[in-house]
Amino acid sequence: MARFGTHADAEILTAYLERYLPRTDLRYDQPSALGALHHLDAQLGTHHADRFPQPDGLWEQWVNALVHLHDHPAYIPAELRRWTDLQYDFANGWTQP
């Protein structure tokens, strides 16, 4: 979805996170979705992802549900975006969206 780069993609990712972050018992693609949403926000000039990593927000609650993830750098929103940016650049180097 990060490669499509539309407002509709940002809305889909936002809806996904709204649905699955409250489910702290489920570990699907929440980190990838948040990274992609941060990436899209940067491209689109929007701020959809800003509300998720707020103190005591849905992202923090989801990460804190597993104690060993709390301070793991792979779950820091800025690191998720950096990783998504790297994947995006790699994919664009090989194919066009």
Side-chain angles (χ1 to χ4, degrees):
M1 297 194 128
R3 291 191 70 212
F4 295 135
T6 69
H7 289 279
D9 299 313
E11 290 172 10
I12 291 168
L13 290 168
T14 299
Y16 174 86
L17 290 167
E18 287 172 344
R19 180 177 179 136
Y20 287 103
L21 285 178
R23 295 291 311 268
T24 58
D25 59 319
L26 299 177
R27 300 284 160 171
Y28 296 133
D29 297 314
Q30 291 91 327
S32 297
L34 186 59
L37 189 55
H38 275 294
H39 179 86
L40 283 173
D41 278 346
Q43 283 189 322
L44 300 171
T46 56
H47 302 279
H48 298 286
D50 289 352
R51 71 175 200 250
F52 294 111
Q54 295 298 319
D56 295 323
L58 289 176
W59 180 253
E60 189 172 295
Q61 292 170 25
W62 185 80
V63 170
N64 288 340
L66 289 178
V67 176
H68 70 279
L69 295 181
H70 177 67
D71 291 326
H72 194 282
Y75 288 89
I76 297 170
E79 181 62 18
L80 295 172
R81 176 168 175 216
R82 187 187 74 77
W83 182 245
T84 300
D85 290 346
L86 289 171
Q87 291 173 320
Y88 178 88
D89 291 342
F90 178 80
N92 280 342
W94 291 96
T95 62
Q96 293 299 313

